[in-house]
Amino acid sequence: MLKIIYTLLATHVTILCVTLFLHRSQAHKGVEFHKVIAHFMRFWLWLTTGMITKEWVAVHRKHHAFSDKEGDPHTPLVFGIWRVLFGGALLYRDAAKDTKMVEQFGAGTPDDWVERNVYSRFPSLGISTLLVINTLLFGWWGLVIWLVQMAWIPFWAAGVINGVAHWWGYRNFETKENSHNLTRFAFLIGGEELHNNHHKDPASPRFSVKDDELDIGWWWIGVLEHLGLAVVKKPS
């Protein structure tokens, strides 16, 4: 039971760091977090995903610039739903190889000493450290937990959100691209399930727009704002 609780908590924190820090704060500048919270999320993403902030932000901003047409790094309308669903992380990696694109679309992301000399320079060190930690905590079960963690973001974020949410679901808004909301209770993927709402107003850090929709990411922003640890830049 402890292993299951640890896995669910750890993967949920990772999802929250992606949606709150990478997506809503860095890519769209909709919310700013206290420097301690922001750095914790940077560290956690390095530890559990190995993703580089500037690259993720650049790929995502390009997705909005060319959404669901040629130039979109990961739309199922170009690459097909199955390739995005099960290979979305590889599409991210391929897009991030374009250093000119990363410089153009990744402006304004962290560029301090630890980013240049640790997080961006040694992205694999974090996930390797996580494997050691998991193994020390749970023995060989730690490897299984680590594999689940390594698959969590590639499948749920890069696959389900980038793929299924541009292919199937319900729409509150007739946006120019093919974005859809997957569920009204957006908890599992941190609120990202309300994808059509996000594409209607990308700068808003709140993804829920109707009374019967729940965006767990927005709930967490509210908690942090109440504690003085977050500032919403765009009123929602």
Side-chain angles (χ1 to χ4, degrees):
M1 181 60 70
L2 179 60
K3 301 179 187 70
I4 295 174
I5 293 173
Y6 168 83
T7 303
L8 292 176
L9 284 176
T11 51
H12 185 63
V13 173
T14 301
I15 283 284
L16 288 176
C17 290
V18 170
T19 186
L20 299 185
F21 179 73
L22 289 180
H23 194 187
R24 308 185 203 209
S25 179
Q26 290 296 300
H28 295 294
K29 305 298 183 182
V31 58
E32 183 177 350
F33 297 104
H34 186 280
K35 61 181 181 180
V36 173
I37 300 299
H39 201 106
F40 166 78
M41 290 192 277
R42 289 170 61 192
F43 168 77
W44 187 265
L45 288 166
W46 173 75
L47 182 71
T48 61
T49 71
M51 295 190 299
I52 297 172
T53 298
K54 187 173 185 176
E55 292 180 353
W56 193 98
V57 167
V59 173
H60 184 73
R61 287 174 177 168
K62 187 180 181 185
H63 160 66
H64 275 272
F66 299 94
S67 193
D68 288 328
K69 57 187 178 183
E70 290 293 336
D72 188 329
H74 47 60
T75 173
L77 275 65
V78 174
F79 297 101
I81 181 60
W82 301 113
R83 183 177 178 188
V84 178
L85 181 60
F86 295 108
L90 297 178
L91 293 174
Y92 260 102
R93 184 179 301 175
D94 289 344
K97 292 178 182 177
D98 184 347
T99 55
K100 184 177 180 180
M101 182 279 295
V102 171
E103 288 300 321
Q104 176 185 353
F105 286 97
T109 52
D111 189 33
D112 54 14
W113 184 92
V114 71
E115 185 67 39
R116 295 190 303 271
N117 293 280
V118 181
Y119 298 157
S120 294
R121 188 176 182 183
F122 302 109
S124 297
L125 179 60
I127 57 176
S128 300
T129 302
L130 180 65
L131 176 58
V132 173
I133 293 171
N134 284 0
T135 304
L136 290 174
L137 289 174
F138 302 110
W140 286 109
W141 274 107
L143 173 60
V144 177
I145 294 170
W146 183 82
L147 291 172
V148 170
Q149 290 175 288
M150 293 303 100
W152 204 261
I153 293 300
F155 179 72
W156 290 111
V160 172
I161 297 303
N162 292 340
V164 181
H166 278 268
W167 180 68
W168 174 89
Y170 75 94
R171 288 164 67 86
N172 286 329
F173 304 101
E174 290 302 318
T175 51
K176 294 181 180 180
E177 25 54 45
N178 201 44
S179 62
H180 289 72
N181 298 323
L182 298 178
T183 178
R184 297 182 185 279
F185 185 72
F187 176 86
L188 180 62
I189 319 178
E192 296 288 335
E193 298 95 325
L194 296 167
H195 204 58
N196 174 244
N197 297 350
H198 166 59
H199 269 269
K200 173 61 177 178
D201 187 5
S204 173
R206 181 176 184 173
F207 294 173
S208 57
V209 298
K210 294 191 173 182
D211 292 340
D212 62 346
E213 292 176 336
L214 170 68
D215 169 13
I216 191 64
W218 176 248
W219 183 86
W220 276 111
I221 289 173
V223 171
L224 293 171
E225 187 177 34
H226 179 73
L227 296 173
L229 300 174
V231 176
V232 174
K233 310 300 285 188
K234 176 180 170 51
S236 300

